[in-house]
């Protein structure tokens, strides 16, 4: 802030005490006015007030070099006098603070021979006359007030005794010499015709002779002394006499406060003027006239730097070691810079990376992103190669000694770095300002001439020649501009070139990766960083990203509120930002902002608690409608810049200068269009309009009318912009939240009066403060962004702007990244729910099989899932509240809560369906189970009878064995005669028979040559075109007939529809086959009949839809055949399991040894309880085995979700591993399987991964889990046995009660119930302790037996088909979107099936992979979707051509995809095309186009490059 009124704030000592005393006194009942007046005078003495100049000097003495410089710079801007010579308050050593003047520039105009000459100079090197004022003794008139009347009557340049807040006593000002300059405006009213310095010694000159005699009187052009009178006995007499008799005839003016005379010339150039009882104005006029006369005759000039010459004066620059070393380093750099070099050649020599090469690279990059006409991938590849070559050339450029010195100094740990940078700025400005000023003058003169020629419509040839000259001057201006920003730009280009070629420059003494750290340090120290290169109109994204990364590393990922500014050139944007935030953006006319700069402003701890931000990031921009240095001022450039800064800012300040409606209209249309683009890409910045330089900001009615007109103009501009952006918007408030009452600010004139002598307007400062409050209120309601988000936002905005069609091209990477993170979390939440329900499903499955429950209710399942559901809800809530991207993800919170709720409902519904199926199948297979149980129990009873019969032969083992075998053979024969054995099945034989019966008319050849419908290249042979009616129909028929003759009767869309049908039918038939539950229910030919019926129904439904074809019978045949062939192994394997479990020949034979063991125990007289216990254990063997395998499968699934790299994420991560595996194997057939049927390939990959994981981890994980599970199960069984024994004892029950209790205890864990022992007599079982002991003993043996069979090769076979780890993972990972891009077949990456919004994929493929070909040549295409949608090419859809740019207009599948232009295609698919070019050509029976062949750059990619790119991009 620069409010000069701040100097007048009163500061009193013990102000509170005096207030109290006055309050107390006021209550006294005193009637003596004389006493009261006396007391009052004492209490309000000026001695209690601190002098404002003491406050200023106290701060000055306590400040470091940088703060002193800032103070003096601000004082100068406020048109106040500056400390020139300052005595140390303790030692009285005089200091000359030369460093504090280094940033001050003064501008003035002088009239010479009726010609106005403008000058802008750094004040420390300006040579001007100097008038020195001093006084002797106490004088009645104010010297400082008199000086003010000479310089600026309306402003107190020098503080004097009559200024507000002044006091009689002062402590720190005596002996201080202040200096101020009068700068003329080139008008007749100027008091002096040239720039004049005025020095003012405070205090009695008699006490400060060193300042007078040794320094200032010698250097002054005119000396002016104030004294009461002249007396030979005064101590000042000698000094006055010396000045009077000065041999150099230096003018002397004596002002006598006790003399009434007017101007009197005592001798040549020696004057006296009386002040007593004189009019102040008259005195000032006389004095000004005399000084002017003296200055015209005097040739002596004053230079600030000369003040430092006396050796006994302390000069801050010399005495401060850090400042001195910083200057020496900067001078050493400048010495290298200025060695025999013309200013316009310096940049080319010392900063080679940012000149021609950088501009060429920028141009190529824009061309790459904005393809013209019929460009091919070869053209794109060529551009990329050219860009790489330019980067290589940049890399080969030598790093100049100048740059090495800068980088070395900045990388050193010395404390003088900031002084070094400041000095470098100062010296660079010093050496370039004169040339720049001359060039600007030349440019403006030429521009004015061109404007006149244009207005007068003069000779066009001359107009053209003048324009050419103007452009030449522009280039000179561009070359001559040399500042710190150019040095940093060069460092940025050194970094980008090294990053591109991935190696250090040969002459760099340090690693290039340290350069961003240097820039980050400078940003932290308060220097602005160039965000957009103004000369190349380009954002160096790599460099900016690297700097922000370093910033994050140094500060942490801080939260920032971004304020950007837009306005026309020279409208005071930078001045406003500097005043508001104390920044350092360039503001002089010769140094207008080019491009965009950003600067960090730290938020105080106090403000941080209110705003929740760590920093404000301020973005300053070049002016809209600027006179571009290279003559490139275009509306497109303005739109680009406006879109960039509006998109970047959380708040954009729209700066409007003056009240010109046409200028306002131009900028508003650009701004409105930028905000409209933000709305369309779902960015939500806010804006404040700042109307600067308004003549009367206090008139309320006028302001209200102005706001009304602004609102009207904004609404009109909105309608115009809506047409350009193809958007529905009627008023400005439709596109952005805007309050015309609070978001429009009117600013007073910057200067209070006419420059160059006018101070800043205090009202302007108040306006700045109001605006600052408004910004803070916007910040309170904004989420801001993290530095990581800022980095991504910059990249996204620039990438989209490069492609011209901003809305179409913009990719919000932050949203994409946040959404992917959310999808990953969703995968975890959904797995938690699925995992919990799997446990419930298993428990209820056991109960159903045990006939413990007979009905499944959704409410029961929901209750079982409640705990997990609450945990997931809590996890979701914490994630949305605490994640660093919560502000972005809040938009999806509701939809994901709904999705989780729907998922939960679906899981419950699906589980209920499965369990109800088990219930139904349980009832259906009751007969089978009862028959098997009956057989087993009959054998048990008969073997018991045989044992009793042969009890007397118990000692003859051989006889017993023979008798038992004979009994066994007879019994088995009886069982087989009652129950015929289950035969093996031949699925494909039955399929062929059924197809033959239903499609008898199809040729024998086709039946014999049925094709795999999943791998056919096209479906043209399977269809017939429907006949159309009418003229249009007839024309269509002709076209189709022609296509048929050419061997192609299906459109791409038709092919895609049929392929989708085939995939969908295959997926549904898989589910139907699973529902048959063949392993439990057995196989029946009705299964195949049901499949065929379903397939036929789907085919008919498809034909009845809006398609132009019907299927031949061969299609249905091949579809049935292919699906059944695919399902053959599954059905056969399940039937084998059913046969093993239910074929009496097989399952009875398996029981032979068990029954022989029981038979022998009966012979040996074993107790009934012991035999019953053994039978129970034998019956438990299979359920135990099933339970262990099921539980292990679930645990293994959970382990793979955590530990297996390919399975521990979402579908996108799984796809990356699939692509890596495909690249490693290089099997074309597998690739085509993945491309054509991705879902099937994913399933196959998951199965392979699970199988491999089990093989690799069997001994260290799987086996341990199985042993742990069998141990836990053994404990549960023994606990159940013990508790059942106790229960029987307590209730004096029998074996039936024991059995009931035992099975109930285990009903959750095992499929084991009383019915399993329904035929076994247990009336004589009465020793339950013995029963428990036998079970313990036998169970250990059974457990050992089961454990001994835990092997890798048998594990897979023993798993239940529904509870296999691979099937569980397939169910979890494949419940997502499988829609493929209509051009390149890339799979939509959304992990939610039937998701909202468009399908999308981060990286598309070469569309020739899917078989796309060029319309004209029929050769395979080598284009990529993300390039095609930016090109002018067209594609054909159902006999109609559509531009790729408007692909959605083709409707159908095209309308549902969002394909964003992107030049960063995945190298993986380029490698694939090159590696399998011949295979692709053979597969599609079409070659790749020779004229538009695969670029050579692609052929350089290796297998490792392809695999590496997956990690880099996905």
């Amino acid at each position: 802030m620069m409010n000069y009124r701040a100097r007048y704030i009163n500061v009193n000592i013990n102000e509170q005490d005096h207030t109290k005393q006055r309050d107390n006194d006021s209550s006294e009942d005193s009637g003596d006015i004389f006493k009261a007046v006396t007391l009052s005078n004492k209490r309000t003495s000026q001695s209690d007030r601190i002098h404002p100049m003491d406050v200023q000097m106290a701060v000055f003495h306590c400040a470091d070099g940088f703060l002193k410089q800032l103070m003096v710079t601000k004082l100068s801007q406020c048109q106040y006098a500056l400390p020139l010579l300052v005595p140390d308050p303790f030692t009285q050593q005089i200091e000359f603070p030369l460093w504090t003047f280094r940033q001050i520039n003064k501008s003035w105009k002088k009239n010479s021979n009726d010609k106005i000459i403008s000058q802008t100079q750094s004040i420390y090197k300006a040579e001007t006359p100097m008038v020195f004022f001093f006084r002797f003794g106490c004088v009645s008139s104010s010297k400082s007030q008199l000086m003010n009347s000479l310089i600026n009557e309306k402003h107190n340049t020098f503080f004097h005794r009559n200024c507000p807040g002044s006091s009689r006593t002062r402590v720190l000002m005596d002996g201080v010499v202040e200096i101020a300059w009068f700068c003329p405006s080139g008008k007749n009213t100027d008091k002096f015709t040239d720039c004049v310095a005025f020095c003012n010694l405070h205090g009695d000159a008699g006490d400060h002779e060193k300042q007078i005699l040794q320094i200032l009187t010698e250097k002054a052009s005119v000396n002016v002394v104030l004294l009461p009178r002249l007396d030979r006995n005064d101590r000042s007499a000698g000094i006055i006499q010396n000045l009077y008799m000065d041999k150099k005839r230096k003018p002397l003016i004596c002002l006598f406060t006790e003399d009434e005379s007017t101007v009197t010339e005592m001798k040549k150039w020696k004057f006296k003027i009386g002040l007593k009882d004189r009019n102040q104005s008259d005195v000032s006029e006389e004095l000004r006239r005399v000084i002017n006369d003296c200055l015209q005759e005097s040739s002596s000039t004053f230079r600030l730097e000369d003040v430092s010459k006396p050796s006994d004066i302390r000069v801050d620059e010399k005495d401060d070691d850090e400042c001195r070393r910083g200057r020496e380093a900067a001078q050493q750099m400048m010495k290298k810079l200025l060695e025999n070099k013309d200013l316009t050649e310096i940049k080319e020599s010392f900063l080679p990376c940012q000149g021609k090469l950088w501009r060429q690279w920028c141009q190529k990059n824009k061309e790459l992103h904005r393809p013209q006409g019929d460009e091919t991938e070869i053209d794109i590849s060529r551009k990329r190669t050219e860009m790489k070559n330019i980067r290589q050339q940049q890399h080969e450029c030598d790093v100049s000694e100048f740059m090495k010195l800068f980088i070395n100094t900045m990388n050193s740990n010395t404390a003088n770095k900031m002084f070094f940078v400041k000095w470098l700025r100062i010296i660079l400005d010093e050496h370039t300002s004169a040339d720049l000023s001359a060039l600007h003058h030349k440019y403006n003169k030429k521009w004015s001439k061109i404007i006149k020629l244009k207005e007068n419509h003069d000779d066009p040839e001359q107009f053209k020649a003048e324009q050419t000259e103007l452009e030449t001057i522009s280039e000179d201006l561009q070359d001559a501009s040399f500042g710190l920003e150019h040095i940093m730009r060069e460092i940025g280009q050194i970094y980008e070139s090294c990053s591109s070629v991935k190696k250090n420059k040969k002459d760099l003494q340090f690693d290039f990766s340290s350069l961003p750290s240097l820039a980050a340090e400078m940003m932290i120290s308060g220097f602005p960083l160039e965000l957009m290169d103004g000369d190349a109109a380009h954002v160096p994204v790599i460099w900016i990203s690297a700097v922000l990364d370093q910033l994050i590393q140094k500060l942490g990922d801080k939260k920032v509120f971004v304020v950007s500014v837009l306005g026309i050139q020279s409208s005071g944007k930078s001045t406003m930002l500097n005043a508001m935030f104390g920044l350092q953006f360039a503001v002089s006319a010769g140094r207008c902002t080019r491009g965009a700069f950003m600067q960090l402003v730290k938020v105080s701890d106090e403000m941080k608690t209110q705003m929740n931000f760590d920093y404000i990031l301020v973005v300053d921009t070049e002016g809209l409608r600027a006179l571009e240095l290279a003559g490139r001022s275009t509306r497109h450039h303005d739109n680009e810049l406006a879109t960039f800064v509006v998109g970047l800012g959380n708040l954009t300040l729209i700066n409007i200068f003056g009240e010109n409606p046409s200028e306002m209209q131009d900028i508003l249309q650009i701004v409105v269009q930028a905000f409209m683009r933000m709305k369309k890409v779902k960015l939500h910045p806010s804006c404040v309009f700042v109307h600067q330089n308004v003549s009367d900001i206090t008139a309320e009615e006028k302001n209200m009318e102005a706001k009304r007109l602004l609102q009207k103009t904004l609404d009109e501009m909105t309608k115009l912009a809506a047409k350009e952006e193809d958007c529905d918007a009627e008023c400005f408030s439709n596109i952005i939240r805007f309050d015309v009452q609070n978001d429009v600010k009117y600013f007073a004139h910057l200067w209070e009066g006419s420059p160059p002598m006018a101070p800043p307007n205090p009202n302007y400062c108040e306006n700045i403060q109001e605006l600052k409050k408004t910004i803070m209120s916007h910040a309170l309601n904004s989420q801001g962004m993290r530095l990581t988000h800022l980095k991504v936002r910059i990249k996204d905005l620039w990438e989209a702007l490069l492609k011209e069609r901003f809305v179409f091209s913009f990719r919000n990477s932050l949203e994409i990244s946040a959404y992917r993170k959310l999808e990953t979390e969703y995968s975890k939440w959904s797995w938690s729910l699925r995992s919990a329900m799997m446990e419930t499903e298993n428990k209820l499955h056991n109960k159903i099989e045990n006939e413990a429950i007979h009905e499944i209710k959704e409410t029961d399942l929901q209750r079982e899932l409640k705990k997990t559901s609450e945990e997931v809800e809590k996890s979701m809530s914490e994630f949305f509240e605490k994640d660093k991207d919560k502000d972005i993800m809040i938009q999806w919170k509701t939809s994901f809560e709904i999705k989780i709720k729907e998922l939960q409902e679906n899981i419950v519904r699906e589980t209920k369906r499965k369990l109800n199926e088990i219930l139904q199948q349980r009832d259906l297979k009751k007969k089978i189970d009862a028959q098997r149980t009956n057989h087993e129990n009959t054998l048990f009873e008969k073997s018991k009878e045989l044992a009793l019969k042969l009890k007397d032969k118990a000692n003859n083992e051989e006889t017993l064995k023979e008798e038992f075998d004979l009994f066994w053979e007879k019994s088995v024969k009886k069982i087989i005669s009652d129950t015929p054995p289950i035969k093996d099945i031949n699925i494909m034989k039955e399929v062929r028979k059924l197809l033959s019966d239903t499609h008898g008319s199809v040729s024998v050849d086709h039946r014999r040559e049925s094709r795999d419908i999943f791998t056919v290249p096209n479906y043209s042979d399977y269809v017939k075109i429907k006949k159309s009616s009418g003229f249009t129909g007839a024309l269509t028929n002709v076209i189709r007939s022609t296509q048929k003759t050419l061997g192609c009767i299906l459109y791409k869309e038709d092919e895609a529809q049929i392929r989708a049908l085939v995939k969908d039918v295959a997926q549904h038939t898989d589910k139907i086959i699973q529902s048959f539950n063949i392993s439990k229910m057995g196989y029946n030919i009705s299964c195949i009949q049901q499949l065929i019926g379903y397939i036929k129904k789907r085919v008919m439904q498809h034909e009845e839809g809006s398609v132009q074809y019907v299927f031949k019978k061969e299609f249905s045949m091949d579809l049935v055949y292919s699906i059944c062939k695919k399902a053959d192994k599954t059905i056969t394997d399940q039937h084998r399991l059913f046969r093993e479990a239910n074929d009496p020949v097989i399952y009875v034979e398996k029981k032979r040894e068990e029954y022989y063991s029981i038979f022998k125990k009966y012979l040996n007289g074993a107790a009934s309880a012991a035999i019953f216990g053994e039978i129970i254990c034998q019956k438990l063997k299979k359920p135990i085995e099933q339970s262990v395998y099921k539980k292990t499968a679930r645990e293994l699934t959970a382990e793979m979700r955590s530990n297996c790299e390919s399975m521990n994420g979402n579908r996108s991560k799984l796809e990356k591993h699939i692509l890596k595996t495909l690249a490693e194997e290089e099997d074309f057939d597998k690739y085509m399987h993945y491309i054509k049927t991705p879902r099937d390939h994913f399933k196959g990959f998951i199965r392979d991964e699970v199988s491999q994981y089990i093989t690799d981890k069997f001994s260290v994980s799987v086996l341990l889990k199985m042993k742990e599970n069998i141990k836990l199960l053994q404990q549960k069984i023994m606990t159940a046995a013990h508790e059942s024994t106790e229960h029987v004892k307590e209730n004096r029950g029998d074996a039936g009660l024991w059995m009931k209790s035992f099975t109930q205890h285990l009903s959750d864990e095992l499929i084991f119930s009383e019915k399993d022992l329904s035929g076994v007599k247990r009336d004589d079982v009465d020793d339950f302790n013995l029963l428990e002991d036998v079970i313990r003993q036998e169970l250990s043996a059974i457990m050992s037996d089961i454990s001994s069979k835990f092997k890798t090769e048998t594990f897979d076979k023993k798993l239940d088909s529904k509870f296999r780890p691979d099937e569980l993972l397939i169910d979890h990972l494949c419940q997502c979107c499988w829609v493929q891009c209509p051009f390149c077949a890339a799979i939509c990456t959304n992990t939610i099936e039937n998701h909202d919004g468009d399908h999308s994929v981060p990286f598309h493929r070469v569309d020739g992979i899917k078989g796309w070909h060029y319309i004209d040549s029929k050769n395979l295409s080598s284009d990529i979707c993300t390039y095609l949608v930016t090109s002018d090419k067209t594609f054909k859809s159902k006999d109609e051509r559509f531009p790729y740019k408007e692909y959605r207009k083709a409707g159908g599948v095209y309308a549902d995809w969002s394909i964003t232009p992107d030049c960063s295609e995945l190298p993986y698919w380029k490698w694939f095309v090159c590696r399998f070019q011949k295979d692709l050509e053979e597969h599609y029976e079409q070659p790749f186009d020779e004229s538009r062949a695969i670029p050579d750059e692609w052929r350089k990619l290796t297998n490792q490059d392809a695999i590496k790119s997956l990690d880099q991009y996905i």
Side-chain angles (χ1 to χ4, degrees), residues 819 823 826 896 899 1375-1377 1389-1396:
Y819 194 83
E823 282 184 328
Y826 175 83
F896 268 79
K899 286 180 193 299
Q1375 296 284 340
C1376 49
C1377 186
T1389 50
N1390 201 303
T1391 55
I1392 300 166
E1393 205 166 10
N1394 303 317
H1395 59 86
D1396 300 326

Side-chain angles (χ1 to χ4, degrees), residues 292-353:
N292 261 325
D293 292 341
C294 294
L295 292 177
Q296 284 175 9
E297 294 298 324
S298 173
S299 60
S300 70
T301 57
F302 166 79
R303 217 163 140 262
L304 262 181
E305 287 185 324
D306 293 341
V307 177
S308 63
K309 287 180 180 175
S311 58
D312 53 347
I313 289 181
R314 181 181 178 273
V315 181
D316 57 355
E317 290 178 358
K318 293 177 182 176
D319 288 10
D320 188 319
D321 289 340
E322 289 178 11
C323 183
R324 180 174 47 76
R325 284 196 293 269
R327 182 178 189 175
E328 287 168 358
Q331 285 174 333
Q332 189 181 358
M333 271 188 72
M334 291 304 295
K335 187 180 178 185
K336 297 286 181 188
L337 186 71
L338 299 170
E339 285 175 350
N340 305 316
K341 290 287 179 187
D342 183 80
L343 190 60
T344 55
E345 297 174 6
I346 285 174
K347 279 207 290 194
E348 189 178 341
S349 303
F350 290 96
L351 312 174
C353 290

Side-chain angles (χ1 to χ4, degrees), residues 160-187:
H160 57 83
R161 66 184 69 166
N162 298 317
C163 283
S166 181
S167 65
R168 186 172 297 169
T169 58
R170 61 189 184 198
V171 180
L172 300 174
M173 278 303 291
D174 278 359
V176 173
V177 177
E178 289 187 303
I179 186 168
W181 285 265
F182 174 83
C183 297
S185 61
K187 297 177 182 175

Side-chain angles (χ1 to χ4, degrees), residues 647-889:
L648 196 56
N650 297 116
L651 171 68
T652 302
L653 303 177
I654 313 299
N655 196 51
I656 300 168
F657 189 77
E659 299 170 77
N660 185 329
S662 64
E663 285 187 355
M664 188 168 76
Q665 191 160 317
D666 278 357
I667 184 175
L668 288 184
Q669 190 166 357
I670 291 166
V671 167
V672 168
Q673 197 162 349
F675 278 112
M676 190 167 287
R677 288 172 167 185
M678 295 309 113
K679 179 180 172 68
K680 290 184 82 172
V681 298
K682 298 179 183 176
L683 297 181
H684 307 288
S686 53
C687 73
V688 171
F689 287 86
V690 180
H691 220 73
Q692 290 213 44
N693 211 37
V694 177
S695 53
D696 184 10
I697 65 165
T698 58
E700 187 62 31
E701 294 91 355
K702 186 176 178 183
N703 284 354
M704 289 301 294
E705 177 62 13
K707 287 178 180 179
R708 188 189 68 77
L709 288 172
L710 176 64
Q711 182 78 66
K712 184 182 175 185
T713 308
L714 284 170
D715 292 344
E716 288 171 359
M717 295 302 104
T718 300
K719 289 174 185 175
L720 286 173
K723 289 179 183 176
E724 284 193 38
E725 294 292 331
D726 190 24
C727 177
D728 293 327
E730 291 295 320
C731 57
F732 188 59
S733 57
N734 288 159
I735 60 173
I736 188 171
R737 193 183 303 159
F738 173 70
D739 180 0
V740 75
Q741 297 302 324
N742 297 315
D743 292 336
V744 179
K745 302 295 175 188
Y746 291 95
F747 270 39
H749 294 293
L750 173 60
W751 303 112
E752 189 178 57
S754 300
M757 290 305 294
N761 189 340
N763 289 331
Y764 179 89
C765 302
E766 288 169 10
N767 298 148
I768 285 281
Q769 197 61 37
E770 285 172 21
L771 176 59
K772 201 170 185 178
K773 287 178 184 175
T774 302
I775 291 171
M776 295 304 115
S777 71
H778 275 273
L780 285 170
N781 298 318
S782 170
Q783 301 297 337
M785 64 180 91
R786 301 234 168 237
L787 287 171
T788 47
H789 295 171
L790 174 70
K791 180 183 81 169
V792 177
R793 176 69 60 81
I794 289 169
K795 185 175 183 294
D796 288 347
L797 287 166
W798 184 242
E799 286 290 325
L801 283 168
L802 276 177
K803 300 180 187 85
E804 288 189 311
R805 299 172 68 203
F806 177 82
V807 173
F808 179 56
S809 305
F810 182 78
R811 292 178 75 220
N812 194 329
S813 296
L814 289 174
E815 284 201 358
I816 292 168
S817 173
Y819 194 83
R820 284 182 187 163
K821 191 196 304 184
L822 186 52
E823 282 184 328
T824 302
E825 289 302 311
Y826 175 83
S827 180
K828 292 176 185 174
W829 298 326
S830 61
W831 174 251
S832 296
L833 292 170
R834 287 182 195 280
S835 183
M837 189 49 86
M838 276 194 289
E839 293 292 333
T840 300
E841 184 181 345
N842 180 64
K843 184 171 69 175
L844 294 175
H845 181 191
N846 292 341
K847 285 192 171 186
I848 289 169
E849 295 289 4
N850 295 330
E851 297 188 11
I853 55 174
H854 305 282
E855 184 184 10
I856 298 295
K857 293 180 181 177
E858 276 192 24
T859 50
D860 295 335
L861 295 174
Q862 285 164 354
R863 187 171 56 252
E864 291 286 344
L865 202 57
K866 187 179 179 184
K867 184 182 176 186
T868 306
S869 177
E870 287 172 352
E871 288 172 358
V872 166
E873 282 176 18
K874 184 182 177 184
S875 175
M876 280 182 76
S877 180
E878 287 178 356
F879 179 74
F880 280 109
E881 286 171 10
K882 296 179 181 178
D883 190 85
K884 67 173 186 175
D885 294 327
K886 63 183 179 182
D887 300 334
I888 297 171
M889 287 191 282

Side-chain angles (χ1 to χ4, degrees), residues 57 135 370 422 613 628 856 883 898 1063 1403 1413 1451:
M57 293 312 297
R135 69 172 170 85
R370 301 168 185 177
K422 286 263 190 181
F613 292 110
E628 290 267 313
I856 298 295
D883 190 85
I898 292 168
K1063 286 180 186 176
F1403 296 99
H1413 56 79

